[in-house]
Amino acid sequence: SVAPYFLSKVVAEAPVSAAVSALGGAALYPLVGLNRGKGKFERFVLTLVLEGLASGALGLFIGAVAPTTDTALALFPPFLVLMIVFNGFNIAEENTPRALRWIPKVSFIRWCSEGLAVNEFSGLRFSCKGARGPCCETGEQALERVSFGGSTVRGAAVAQAKLVGGLYVATLLVLRRSSPKFLRVEPPFGAPAAAAPSAAGAPHSVAWTAGAEASLQRVPFFVRGFARKRTEDYARGLADEGEGHDAGDILVTEEILLAAKEKQSSRGE
């Protein structure tokens, strides 16, 4: 089932993302000298945490929709560029072309920028003494100039939370529809591999020598399962081509592992 996989991924990654955002915000706040008003710091960190979760949720959604990893990596930057352009500071929402007015509403960068701006400027007062041009005497007036006059930190946080939830639901629906394939679970080091049918259909069990298993462990973990499967398939092919091989007689040695690797390299795999 896709749901347990997706839930475990979110539960594993979301706390890490939230912690990184919170730590970064906690370090940045005093260095920049932001507003020290009551509750300002807490709302600042919360806004950053929600932005990090929304960014991760968008990444999960694009990864679920894209057919390959390379496609997903290529799609993410254009999404970010659009969200930055329509973040509320560069182009006001009322000046956005009608066909693109949905972008600011789903831009977590827009909502994060809006929440941070409102949190920082609300309640501030400025001196206009000696000003040569238009001057804002209050933070609220400054927010009006960037179309954030009626915005609140709470409203921006709720919008980001809705984006996170919506992207999670959309990702789960896409995964259920596409029925993704999963890598098999690797047996513990030194444990015998489970029996599997050979290329010709005869059930051969495969065992690995200690040396071959040790060599396999030097392969990067994210391709180790692929290397094990290709090597065992190669060994079964050798067994099917030979004579007098009964079920259970396949043993993967370091020589077979090397030969399988050379064969894959010759094919450019």
Side-chain angles (χ1 to χ4, degrees), residues 25-258:
L28 179 67
Y29 204 86
L31 292 176
V32 178
L34 297 177
N35 196 328
R36 295 179 179 273
K38 183 179 179 180
K40 297 283 188 179
F41 172 74
E42 291 79 3
R43 289 191 287 269
F44 175 84
V45 171
L46 175 62
T47 302
L48 290 186
V49 167
L50 288 172
E51 190 268 345
L53 293 176
S55 175
L58 177 63
L60 288 176
F61 176 72
I62 294 177
V65 173
T68 65
T69 303
D70 290 339
T71 303
L73 292 174
L75 286 175
F76 197 75
F79 273 92
L80 290 184
V81 170
L82 284 174
M83 291 182 180
I84 292 172
V85 171
F86 296 99
N87 66 352
F89 288 107
N90 299 309
I91 301 177
E93 188 171 355
E94 57 269 20
N95 296 330
T96 303
R98 287 183 176 275
L100 301 177
R101 286 188 179 178
W102 59 273
I103 298 178
K105 299 182 185 301
V106 299
S107 170
F108 61 85
I109 295 179
R110 173 263 174 103
W111 293 115
C112 179
S113 301
E114 183 172 318
L116 293 177
V118 173
N119 184 61
E120 177 64 20
F121 282 92
S122 296
L124 290 182
R125 291 193 171 276
F126 308 106
S127 174
C128 290
K129 185 177 181 180
R132 297 182 178 179
C135 176
C136 296
E137 296 183 347
T138 66
E140 285 71 18
Q141 292 177 354
L143 291 172
E144 285 282 355
R145 297 188 64 177
V146 290
S147 302
F148 289 165
S151 303
T152 63
V153 178
R154 179 185 177 87
V158 170
Q160 288 194 89
K162 288 181 178 179
L163 279 176
V164 174
L167 287 168
Y168 281 162
V169 171
T171 301
L172 181 58
L173 293 177
V174 171
L175 289 175
R176 282 182 171 176
R177 185 178 181 86
S178 61
S179 299
K181 306 297 186 296
F182 303 98
L183 291 175
R184 65 176 183 174
V185 177
E186 285 291 309
F189 177 76
S198 69
H204 290 297
S205 62
V206 181
W208 289 62
T209 64
E213 188 70 50
S215 297
L216 182 67
Q217 295 305 309
R218 290 194 288 269
V219 175
F221 72 93
F222 50 87
V223 293
R224 193 176 299 153
F226 175 81
R228 180 184 292 275
K229 183 179 184 303
R230 285 301 179 94
T231 302
E232 292 182 355
D233 289 344
Y234 176 77
R236 290 190 187 98
L238 293 179
D240 291 335
E241 292 173 2
E243 297 180 357
H245 290 89
D246 298 323
D249 64 353
I250 297 180
L251 182 66
V252 176
T253 63
E254 293 179 79
E255 290 74 16
I256 291 179
L257 178 62
L258 180 60

